Amino acid sequence: MTLASQNLSRFSEYHNHLVEQKLTCNTRIAYEYQVSHFLRWLEDCGIDLPTEPIERDLAVAKYKNFLKDRKSAKNASVNSALTAIRNFCCFIGLGEPVVSRERKSR
């Protein structure tokens, strides 16, 4: 499945931004994977890319629940996704999502 044109454009801009940052290759790849998965999930759910903070927070919270409930993602994986999405949201000018991180497993 490919991203819709608006999301593809934003994702391409984000990719270029990540390449310019001093991130390790693995971090860049992880961020790109997590953000592309989030954008595809939005499209699958019929949710437009948020443009307002309240929409952003609601979408990210729903995605977090999707990862936990449907994908049975571990806390570290959920937090990794939230970190990448936070970075993306800041890049596109939406600011940081106000969504709690998962507690670290003991």
Side-chain angles (χ1 to χ4, degrees), residues 30-73:
Y31 278 25
E32 289 175 351
Y33 172 80
Q34 296 291 358
V35 169
S36 68
H37 192 267
F38 173 65
L39 293 174
R40 283 189 184 102
W41 176 83
L42 287 174
E43 290 177 4
D44 289 347
C45 293
I47 301 171
D48 291 332
L49 186 62
T51 58
E52 299 293 329
I54 195 161
E55 295 170 342
R56 172 208 60 208
D57 293 348
L58 184 58
V60 174
K62 286 182 178 181
Y63 182 68
K64 174 186 166 184
N65 289 333
F66 166 78
L67 291 176
K68 289 171 38 181
D69 299 340
R70 298 272 177 95
K71 294 293 185 180
S72 301

Side-chain angles (χ1 to χ4, degrees), residues 56-101:
R56 172 208 60 208
D57 293 348
L58 184 58
V60 174
K62 286 182 178 181
Y63 182 68
K64 174 186 166 184
N65 289 333
F66 166 78
L67 291 176
K68 289 171 38 181
D69 299 340
R70 298 272 177 95
K71 294 293 185 180
S72 301
K74 302 223 182 284
N75 290 353
S77 296
V78 171
N79 289 339
S80 176
L82 292 175
T83 298
I85 294 166
R86 181 187 72 222
N87 183 271
F88 176 72
C89 287
C90 288
F91 170 74
I92 64 172
L94 277 177
E96 291 189 22
V98 181
V99 176
S100 64
R101 296 175 57 84

